[in-house]
Coordinates of all heavy atoms in Angstrom, one line a residue:
M10 N 285.5 65.2 37.7 CA 284.1 64.8 38.1 C 283.7 65.7 39.3 O 284.5 65.9 40.2 CB 284.2 63.3 38.5 CG 282.8 62.8 38.8 SD 282.8 61.0 38.6 CE 283.6 60.4 40.1
R11 N 282.5 66.1 39.3 CA 282.0 66.9 40.3 C 280.9 66.2 41.1 O 280.0 65.6 40.5 CB 281.4 68.3 39.8 CG 282.5 69.3 39.5 CD 281.9 70.5 38.9 NE 280.9 71.1 39.7 CZ 280.1 72.1 39.4 NH1 280.2 72.6 38.2 NH2 279.2 72.5 40.2
R12 N 281.0 66.4 42.4 CA 279.9 65.8 43.2 C 278.7 66.7 43.2 O 278.8 67.9 43.3 CB 280.5 65.7 44.6 CG 279.5 64.9 45.6 CD 280.2 64.7 46.9 NE 281.4 63.9 46.7 CZ 282.1 63.4 47.7 NH1 281.7 63.5 48.9 NH2 283.2 62.7 47.4
A13 N 277.6 66.0 42.9 CA 276.3 66.8 42.8 C 275.9 67.1 44.3 O 275.8 66.2 45.1 CB 275.3 66.0 42.1
Q14 N 275.5 68.3 44.5 CA 275.1 68.6 45.9 C 273.7 69.3 45.8 O 273.5 70.2 45.1 CB 276.1 69.6 46.6 CG 277.0 68.8 47.5 CD 278.3 69.5 47.7 OE1 278.5 70.6 47.3 NE2 279.2 68.8 48.4
N15 N 272.9 68.8 46.6 CA 271.5 69.3 46.6 C 271.4 70.4 47.6 O 271.2 70.1 48.8 CB 270.5 68.1 46.9 CG 269.1 68.5 46.6 OD1 268.9 69.5 46.0 ND2 268.2 67.6 46.9
R16 N 271.5 71.6 47.2 CA 271.5 72.7 48.2 C 270.1 73.2 48.5 O 269.6 74.2 47.9 CB 272.4 73.9 47.6 CG 273.8 73.6 47.6 CD 274.6 74.8 47.1 NE 276.0 74.7 47.3 CZ 276.6 75.2 48.4 NH1 275.9 75.8 49.3 NH2 277.9 75.1 48.5
K17 N 269.5 72.5 49.4 CA 268.3 73.0 49.9 C 268.5 74.2 50.9 O 269.6 74.3 51.4 CB 267.5 71.9 50.6 CG 267.1 70.8 49.7 CD 266.4 69.7 50.4 CE 266.0 68.6 49.4 NZ 265.6 67.4 50.1
P18 N 267.5 75.0 51.1 CA 267.6 76.1 52.0 C 268.1 75.7 53.4 O 269.0 76.3 53.9 CB 266.2 76.7 52.1 CG 265.6 76.3 50.9 CD 266.2 74.9 50.5
A19 N 267.5 74.7 54.0 CA 267.9 74.3 55.3 C 268.9 73.1 55.2 O 268.5 72.0 55.4 CB 266.7 73.8 56.1
T20 N 270.1 73.5 54.9 CA 271.2 72.5 54.9 C 272.3 73.0 55.8 O 272.8 74.1 55.7 CB 271.7 72.3 53.5 OG1 270.7 71.8 52.6 CG2 272.9 71.3 53.5
Y21 N 272.6 72.1 56.8 CA 273.7 72.5 57.7 C 275.0 71.9 57.3 O 275.0 71.0 56.4 CB 273.3 72.0 59.1 CG 271.9 72.4 59.5 CD1 270.9 71.5 59.5 CD2 271.7 73.7 60.0 CE1 269.6 71.9 59.9 CE2 270.5 74.1 60.4 CZ 269.4 73.2 60.3 OH 268.2 73.6 60.7
T22 N 276.1 72.3 57.9 CA 277.3 71.6 57.7 C 277.7 70.9 59.0 O 277.7 71.6 60.1 CB 278.4 72.7 57.4 OG1 278.1 73.3 56.2 CG2 279.8 72.0 57.2
C23 N 277.9 69.7 58.9 CA 278.3 68.9 60.1 C 279.7 69.4 60.6 O 280.6 69.3 59.8 CB 278.3 67.4 59.8 SG 279.0 66.4 61.1
P24 N 279.8 69.8 61.9 CA 281.1 70.3 62.4 C 282.1 69.2 62.6 O 283.3 69.5 62.8 CB 280.7 71.0 63.7 CG 279.4 70.3 64.1 CD 278.7 69.9 62.9
L25 N 281.6 68.0 62.6 CA 282.5 66.9 62.9 C 283.2 66.3 61.7 O 284.3 65.9 61.8 CB 281.8 65.8 63.7 CG 281.1 66.3 65.0 CD1 280.2 65.2 65.6 CD2 282.2 66.6 66.0
C26 N 282.5 66.3 60.6 CA 283.1 65.8 59.4 C 283.2 66.8 58.3 O 283.9 66.6 57.2 CB 282.3 64.5 58.9 SG 280.7 64.9 58.2
G27 N 282.5 68.0 58.5 CA 282.6 69.1 57.5 C 281.8 68.9 56.2 O 281.9 69.6 55.3
K28 N 281.0 67.8 56.2 CA 280.1 67.6 55.1 C 278.7 68.2 55.3 O 278.3 68.5 56.4 CB 280.0 66.1 54.8 CG 281.4 65.5 54.4 CD 281.2 64.0 54.2 CE 282.6 63.4 53.9 NZ 282.6 61.9 53.9
F29 N 278.0 68.2 54.1 CA 276.7 68.8 54.2 C 275.7 67.9 55.0 O 275.9 66.7 54.9 CB 276.2 69.1 52.8 CG 276.8 70.3 52.2 CD1 277.7 70.2 51.1 CD2 276.5 71.6 52.7 CE1 278.3 71.3 50.6 CE2 277.1 72.7 52.1 CZ 278.0 72.5 51.1
L30 N 274.8 68.5 55.6 CA 273.8 67.7 56.4 C 272.4 68.3 56.1 O 272.1 69.3 56.6 CB 274.2 67.9 57.9 CG 273.2 67.5 58.9 CD1 272.9 66.0 58.7 CD2 273.7 67.7 60.3
P31 N 271.7 67.6 55.3 CA 270.3 68.0 55.0 C 269.5 68.0 56.2 O 269.6 67.1 57.0 CB 269.8 66.9 54.0 CG 271.1 66.3 53.4 CD 272.1 66.4 54.5
A32 N 268.7 69.0 56.4 CA 268.0 69.2 57.7 C 267.0 68.0 57.8 O 266.6 67.7 58.9 CB 267.2 70.5 57.7
L33 N 266.6 67.5 56.7 CA 265.5 66.4 56.8 C 266.1 65.1 57.1 O 265.4 64.1 57.4 CB 264.7 66.3 55.5 CG 263.9 67.6 55.2 CD1 263.2 67.4 53.9 CD2 262.9 67.8 56.3
S34 N 267.4 64.9 57.0 CA 268.1 63.7 57.4 C 268.2 63.5 58.9 O 268.1 64.5 59.6 CB 269.4 63.5 56.7 OG 270.3 64.4 57.4
E35 N 268.3 62.3 59.3 CA 268.5 62.1 60.8 C 269.8 62.7 61.3 O 270.8 62.5 60.8 CB 268.4 60.6 61.1 CG 268.4 60.4 62.6 CD 268.3 58.9 62.9 OE1 267.9 58.2 62.0 OE2 268.6 58.5 64.0
H36 N 269.7 63.6 62.3 CA 270.9 64.2 62.8 C 270.6 64.6 64.2 O 269.5 64.5 64.8 CB 271.3 65.4 62.0 CG 270.4 66.5 62.0 ND1 269.2 66.6 61.3 CD2 270.4 67.7 62.8 CE1 268.6 67.8 61.5 NE2 269.3 68.4 62.4
V37 N 271.7 65.0 64.9 CA 271.6 65.4 66.3 C 272.2 66.8 66.5 O 272.8 67.4 65.6 CB 272.4 64.4 67.2 CG1 271.7 63.0 67.1 CG2 273.8 64.4 66.8
L38 N 271.9 67.4 67.6 CA 272.5 68.7 68.0 C 273.6 68.4 69.0 O 273.5 67.7 69.9 CB 271.5 69.6 68.6 CG 270.3 70.0 67.7 CD1 269.3 70.8 68.5 CD2 270.9 70.9 66.6
I39 N 274.8 69.1 68.7 CA 275.9 69.0 69.7 C 276.1 70.4 70.3 O 275.8 71.4 69.7 CB 277.2 68.4 69.1 CG1 277.6 69.4 68.0 CG2 277.0 67.0 68.6 CD1 279.0 69.0 67.5
T40 N 276.6 70.4 71.5 CA 276.7 71.6 72.2 C 278.2 71.9 72.6 O 278.8 71.1 73.3 CB 275.9 71.6 73.6 OG1 274.6 71.2 73.3 CG2 275.9 73.0 74.2
P41 N 278.8 73.0 72.1 CA 280.2 73.3 72.4 C 280.3 73.4 73.9 O 279.4 73.9 74.6 CB 280.4 74.6 71.7 CG 279.4 74.7 70.6 CD 278.2 73.9 71.2
E42 N 281.4 73.1 74.5 CA 281.7 73.1 75.9 C 281.4 74.5 76.4 O 282.0 75.5 76.0 CB 283.1 72.7 76.2 CG 283.3 72.5 77.7 CD 284.7 71.9 77.9 OE1 285.5 71.9 77.0 OE2 285.0 71.4 79.0
G43 N 280.6 74.6 77.4 CA 280.3 75.9 78.1 C 279.6 76.9 77.2 O 279.6 78.1 77.6
D44 N 279.0 76.5 76.1 CA 278.3 77.5 75.3 C 277.1 76.8 74.7 O 277.0 76.4 73.6 CB 279.2 78.0 74.2 CG 278.6 79.2 73.5 OD1 277.4 79.5 73.8 OD2 279.2 79.8 72.7
S45 N 276.0 76.7 75.6 CA 274.9 76.0 75.1 C 274.0 76.8 74.1 O 273.1 76.3 73.6 CB 274.0 75.7 76.3 OG 273.6 76.8 77.0
S46 N 274.4 78.0 73.9 CA 273.6 78.8 72.9 C 274.1 78.6 71.5 O 273.5 79.0 70.5 CB 273.7 80.3 73.2 OG 275.1 80.8 73.0
R47 N 275.2 77.9 71.3 CA 275.8 77.6 70.0 C 275.7 76.1 69.7 O 276.7 75.5 69.4 CB 277.2 78.1 69.9 CG 277.3 79.6 70.1 CD 278.7 80.1 70.0 NE 279.3 79.7 68.7 CZ 280.6 79.7 68.4 NH1 281.4 80.1 69.4 NH2 281.1 79.4 67.3
R48 N 274.5 75.6 69.6 CA 274.3 74.2 69.3 C 274.5 74.1 67.8 O 274.2 74.9 67.0 CB 272.9 73.8 69.6 CG 272.7 73.7 71.1 CD 271.5 73.0 71.5 NE 270.3 73.6 70.9 CZ 269.0 73.3 71.1 NH1 268.8 72.3 72.0 NH2 268.0 73.9 70.5
R49 N 275.1 72.9 67.4 CA 275.4 72.7 66.0 C 274.7 71.4 65.6 O 274.6 70.5 66.4 CB 276.9 72.5 65.8 CG 277.7 73.7 66.2 CD 277.5 74.9 65.3 NE 277.8 74.5 63.9 CZ 279.0 74.6 63.3 NH1 280.0 75.0 64.0 NH2 279.1 74.3 62.1
H50 N 274.3 71.4 64.4 CA 273.7 70.1 63.8 C 274.8 69.2 63.3 O 275.7 69.7 62.6 CB 272.8 70.5 62.7 CG 271.6 71.4 63.1 ND1 270.4 70.9 63.3 CD2 271.6 72.7 63.4 CE1 269.6 71.8 63.7 NE2 270.3 73.0 63.8
A51 N 274.8 68.0 63.7 CA 275.8 67.0 63.2 C 275.1 65.7 62.8 O 274.0 65.4 63.3 CB 276.8 66.8 64.3
H52 N 275.8 65.0 62.0 CA 275.3 63.6 61.6 C 275.2 62.8 62.9 O 276.1 62.9 63.7 CB 276.2 62.9 60.6 CG 276.3 63.6 59.3 ND1 277.5 64.3 58.9 CD2 275.4 63.8 58.3 CE1 277.3 64.8 57.7 NE2 276.0 64.6 57.3
T53 N 274.2 62.0 63.0 CA 274.0 61.1 64.2 C 275.3 60.3 64.3 O 275.8 60.1 65.4 CB 272.8 60.3 64.1 OG1 271.7 61.1 63.9 CG2 272.6 59.4 65.3
A54 N 275.7 59.7 63.2 CA 276.8 58.7 63.3 C 278.1 59.5 63.7 O 278.9 59.0 64.5 CB 277.1 58.1 61.9
C55 N 278.3 60.7 63.2 CA 279.5 61.5 63.6 C 279.5 61.8 65.1 O 280.5 61.7 65.8 CB 279.5 62.8 62.8 SG 279.8 62.5 61.0
A56 N 278.3 62.2 65.6 CA 278.2 62.6 67.0 C 278.5 61.3 67.9 O 279.2 61.5 68.9 CB 276.8 63.1 67.3
L57 N 277.9 60.2 67.5 CA 278.1 59.0 68.3 C 279.6 58.6 68.3 O 280.2 58.2 69.3 CB 277.3 57.9 67.8 CG 275.8 58.1 68.0 CD1 275.0 56.9 67.4 CD2 275.4 58.2 69.5
R58 N 280.2 58.8 67.1 CA 281.6 58.4 67.0 C 282.5 59.4 67.9 O 283.4 58.9 68.6 CB 282.1 58.5 65.5 CG 283.0 57.4 65.2 CD 283.4 57.3 63.7 NE 283.1 58.4 62.9 CZ 282.3 58.4 61.9 NH1 281.6 57.3 61.6 NH2 282.1 59.5 61.1
A59 N 282.2 60.6 67.8 CA 282.9 61.6 68.6 C 282.7 61.3 70.1 O 283.6 61.5 70.9 CB 282.4 63.0 68.3
R60 N 281.5 60.9 70.4 CA 281.2 60.7 71.8 C 282.0 59.4 72.3 O 282.6 59.4 73.3 CB 279.7 60.4 72.0 CG 279.4 60.0 73.4 CD 277.9 59.5 73.5 NE 277.6 58.8 74.7 CZ 278.0 57.6 75.0 NH1 278.7 56.9 74.2 NH2 277.8 57.1 76.2
E61 N 282.1 58.4 71.4 CA 282.9 57.2 71.8 C 284.3 57.6 71.9 O 285.0 57.0 72.8 CB 282.8 56.2 70.6 CG 281.4 55.6 70.5 CD 281.0 54.8 71.8 OE1 281.8 54.1 72.3 OE2 279.8 54.9 72.1
A62 N 284.8 58.6 71.1 CA 286.2 58.9 71.2 C 286.5 60.0 72.3 O 287.6 60.4 72.5 CB 286.6 59.5 69.8
G63 N 285.4 60.3 73.0 CA 285.6 61.3 74.1 C 285.8 62.7 73.6 O 286.3 63.5 74.3
R64 N 285.3 63.0 72.4 CA 285.5 64.3 71.9 C 284.3 65.2 72.1 O 284.3 66.4 71.7 CB 285.8 64.3 70.4 CG 287.1 63.5 70.0 CD 287.7 64.0 68.8 NE 286.8 64.4 67.8 CZ 286.4 63.6 66.8 NH1 287.0 62.4 66.6 NH2 285.6 64.0 65.9
L65 N 283.3 64.7 72.8 CA 282.2 65.6 73.2 C 282.3 65.7 74.7 O 281.8 64.9 75.4 CB 280.9 65.0 72.8 CG 280.6 65.1 71.3 CD1 279.3 64.4 70.9 CD2 280.6 66.5 70.8
P66 N 283.0 66.7 75.2 CA 283.4 66.8 76.6 C 282.2 66.9 77.6 O 282.3 66.2 78.6 CB 284.3 68.1 76.7 CG 284.0 68.8 75.5 CD 283.5 67.9 74.4
D67 N 281.3 67.6 77.2 CA 280.2 67.8 78.2 C 279.0 66.9 77.9 O 278.0 67.3 77.3 CB 279.7 69.3 78.2 CG 279.0 69.6 79.5 OD1 278.7 68.7 80.2 OD2 278.8 70.8 79.7
R68 N 279.2 65.6 78.2 CA 278.3 64.6 77.8 C 276.9 64.8 78.3 O 275.9 64.6 77.6 CB 278.8 63.2 78.2 CG 278.3 62.1 77.4 CD 279.0 60.8 77.7 NE 278.7 60.5 79.1 CZ 278.4 59.2 79.5 NH1 278.4 58.3 78.6 NH2 278.2 59.0 80.7
D69 N 276.8 65.2 79.6 CA 275.5 65.4 80.1 C 274.7 66.5 79.4 O 273.5 66.3 79.1 CB 275.6 65.7 81.6 CG 276.0 64.5 82.4 OD1 275.9 63.4 81.9 OD2 276.5 64.6 83.6
D70 N 275.4 67.6 79.1 CA 274.7 68.6 78.4 C 274.3 68.1 77.0 O 273.2 68.5 76.5 CB 275.6 69.8 78.2 CG 275.4 70.8 79.4 OD1 274.7 70.5 80.3 OD2 276.0 71.9 79.3
W71 N 275.2 67.4 76.4 CA 274.9 66.9 75.1 C 273.7 66.0 75.1 O 272.8 66.1 74.3 CB 276.1 66.1 74.6 CG 275.9 65.6 73.2 CD1 276.0 66.3 72.0 CD2 275.7 64.2 72.8 NE1 275.7 65.5 71.0 CE2 275.5 64.2 71.4 CE3 275.5 63.1 73.5 CZ2 275.3 63.1 70.7 CZ3 275.2 61.9 72.7 CH2 275.1 61.9 71.3
L72 N 273.6 65.1 76.1 CA 272.5 64.2 76.2 C 271.2 65.0 76.5 O 270.1 64.7 76.0 CB 272.7 63.2 77.2 CG 273.8 62.1 76.8 CD1 274.2 61.3 78.0 CD2 273.3 61.2 75.7
R73 N 271.3 66.0 77.3 CA 270.1 66.9 77.5 C 269.7 67.5 76.2 O 268.5 67.6 76.0 CB 270.5 68.0 78.6 CG 270.0 67.6 80.0 CD 269.9 68.9 80.8 NE 271.3 69.5 81.0 CZ 272.2 69.0 81.9 NH1 271.9 68.0 82.6 NH2 273.4 69.6 81.9
A74 N 270.6 68.0 75.4 CA 270.2 68.6 74.2 C 269.6 67.6 73.2 O 268.6 67.9 72.5 CB 271.5 69.2 73.5
Q75 N 270.1 66.3 73.3 CA 269.5 65.3 72.4 C 268.0 65.1 72.9 O 267.1 64.9 72.0 CB 270.3 64.0 72.5 CG 271.7 64.1 72.1 CD 271.9 65.1 71.0 OE1 271.4 64.9 69.9 NE2 272.7 66.1 71.2
R76 N 267.8 65.0 74.2 CA 266.5 64.7 74.6 C 265.5 65.8 74.2 O 264.4 65.6 73.8 CB 266.5 64.6 76.2 CG 266.8 63.3 76.7 CD 266.1 63.0 78.0 NE 266.4 64.0 79.0 CZ 267.5 64.1 79.7 NH1 268.5 63.2 79.5 NH2 267.7 65.0 80.5
A77 N 266.0 67.1 74.2 CA 265.2 68.2 73.8 C 265.0 68.2 72.3 O 263.9 68.6 71.9 CB 265.8 69.5 74.2
A78 N 266.0 67.7 71.6 CA 265.9 67.8 70.1 C 265.3 66.6 69.5 O 264.6 66.7 68.4 CB 267.3 68.1 69.5
A79 N 265.4 65.5 70.1 CA 265.0 64.2 69.4 C 263.5 64.0 69.5 O 262.9 64.1 70.6 CB 265.7 63.1 70.1
P80 N 262.9 63.8 68.4 CA 261.5 63.5 68.4 C 261.3 62.1 68.9 O 262.3 61.3 68.9 CB 261.1 63.6 67.0 CG 262.3 63.3 66.2 CD 263.5 63.8 67.1
P81 N 260.1 61.7 69.4 CA 259.9 60.3 69.8 C 260.2 59.4 68.7 O 259.9 59.7 67.6 CB 258.4 60.3 70.2 CG 258.0 61.8 70.4 CD 258.9 62.5 69.5
G82 N 260.7 58.2 69.0 CA 261.0 57.3 68.0 C 262.3 56.6 68.2 O 262.9 56.6 69.3
P83 N 262.9 56.0 67.1 CA 264.1 55.2 67.3 C 265.3 55.9 67.8 O 266.0 55.5 68.7 CB 264.4 54.7 65.8 CG 263.1 54.9 65.1 CD 262.3 56.0 65.8
L84 N 265.4 57.2 67.4 CA 266.6 58.0 67.9 C 266.5 58.2 69.3 O 267.5 58.0 70.1 CB 266.6 59.3 67.1 CG 267.8 60.2 67.6 CD1 269.1 59.6 67.4 CD2 267.7 61.5 66.7
R85 N 265.3 58.5 69.8 CA 265.1 58.8 71.2 C 265.4 57.5 72.0 O 266.1 57.6 73.1 CB 263.7 59.3 71.5 CG 263.5 59.7 72.9 CD 262.3 60.6 73.0 NE 262.5 61.7 74.0 CZ 261.9 62.8 74.0 NH1 261.1 63.1 73.0 NH2 262.1 63.7 74.9
R86 N 264.9 56.4 71.5 CA 265.2 55.1 72.2 C 266.7 54.8 72.2 O 267.2 54.4 73.2 CB 264.4 54.0 71.5 CG 263.0 54.0 71.9 CD 262.3 52.6 71.6 NE 262.4 52.2 70.2 CZ 261.6 52.6 69.3 NH1 260.5 53.3 69.7 NH2 261.7 52.2 68.1
A87 N 267.4 55.1 71.1 CA 268.8 54.8 71.1 C 269.5 55.7 72.1 O 270.5 55.3 72.8 CB 269.3 55.1 69.7
L88 N 269.1 56.9 72.2 CA 269.8 57.8 73.2 C 269.5 57.4 74.6 O 270.4 57.5 75.5 CB 269.3 59.3 73.0 CG 269.8 59.9 71.7 CD1 269.0 61.1 71.3 CD2 271.3 60.2 71.8
R89 N 268.3 56.9 74.8 CA 268.0 56.4 76.2 C 268.9 55.2 76.5 O 269.4 55.0 77.6 CB 266.6 55.9 76.3 CG 265.7 56.9 77.1 CD 264.5 56.2 77.7 NE 263.6 55.7 76.7 CZ 262.6 56.3 76.1 NH1 262.4 57.5 76.5 NH2 261.9 55.8 75.3
R90 N 269.2 54.4 75.5 CA 270.1 53.2 75.7 C 271.5 53.7 76.0 O 272.1 53.2 76.9 CB 270.1 52.4 74.4 CG 269.3 51.1 74.5 CD 269.7 50.1 73.5 NE 270.0 50.6 72.1 CZ 269.1 50.8 71.2 NH1 267.8 50.5 71.5 NH2 269.4 51.2 70.0
L91 N 271.9 54.8 75.3 CA 273.2 55.3 75.5 C 273.4 55.8 77.0 O 274.3 55.6 77.7 CB 273.5 56.5 74.6 CG 273.9 56.1 73.2 CD1 274.0 57.3 72.3 CD2 275.1 55.3 73.1
R92 N 272.3 56.5 77.4 CA 272.4 57.0 78.8 C 272.4 55.8 79.8 O 273.1 55.9 80.8 CB 271.1 57.8 79.1 CG 271.1 59.1 78.3 CD 269.9 60.0 78.8 NE 270.2 60.5 80.1 CZ 269.3 60.4 81.1 NH1 268.1 59.8 80.9 NH2 269.6 60.8 82.3
G93 N 271.7 54.8 79.5 CA 271.7 53.6 80.4 C 273.1 53.0 80.5 O 273.5 52.6 81.6
Q94 N 273.9 53.1 79.4 CA 275.2 52.5 79.4 C 276.2 53.5 80.2 O 277.3 53.0 80.6 CB 275.7 52.3 78.0 CG 275.1 51.1 77.4 CD 275.5 51.0 75.9 OE1 276.2 51.8 75.4 NE2 274.9 50.0 75.2
G95 N 275.9 54.8 80.2 CA 276.8 55.7 80.8 C 276.9 55.5 82.3 O 277.8 55.9 82.9
Ligands
ZN105 ZN1 279.2 64.4 59.9

């Protein structure tokens, strides 16, 4: 059995789970430590999980990237909540 994959032009690979990430789905950008020029697209759930596990070392940079990347709306509000808890 083969998994059907919808290969649109703008499809990223989530670096946290290795699965495909359609650009139109809700996702976030993560920033490798000390290299803000190499932002990666990741599933929102994966990024939040990694953050909870402490696997996103530069949290402040990450949150800054989210603020820059997140459009107004539920995601932005969720990120604001996260910052409030930090
Ligand atoms: Zn993922």
Side-chain angles (χ1 to χ4, degrees):
M10 189 156 74
R11 279 177 55 188
R12 186 169 303 190
Q14 259 155 11
N15 196 6
R16 283 180 171 272
K17 291 177 183 171
T20 297
Y21 308 102
T22 301
C23 173
L25 299 172
C26 70
K28 293 177 183 170
F29 286 109
L30 168 58
L33 293 180
S34 70
E35 184 176 343
H36 67 279
V37 297
L38 294 173
I39 61 174
T40 308
E42 190 174 16
D44 190 353
S45 60
S46 67
R47 294 182 58 192
R48 292 191 303 188
R49 301 290 305 273
H50 298 258
H52 297 112
T53 302
C55 292
L57 291 177
R58 220 170 19 240
R60 176 191 168 281
E61 293 295 322
R64 298 212 320 265
L65 287 176
D67 202 346
R68 201 171 66 136
D69 286 343
D70 267 6
W71 183 74
L72 289 168
R73 258 198 298 278
Q75 304 320 303
R76 274 211 305 283
L84 178 57
R85 188 160 214 156
R86 282 201 299 275
L88 289 166
R89 254 206 298 271
R90 259 202 315 277
L91 285 176
R92 290 188 69 232
Q94 287 173 1

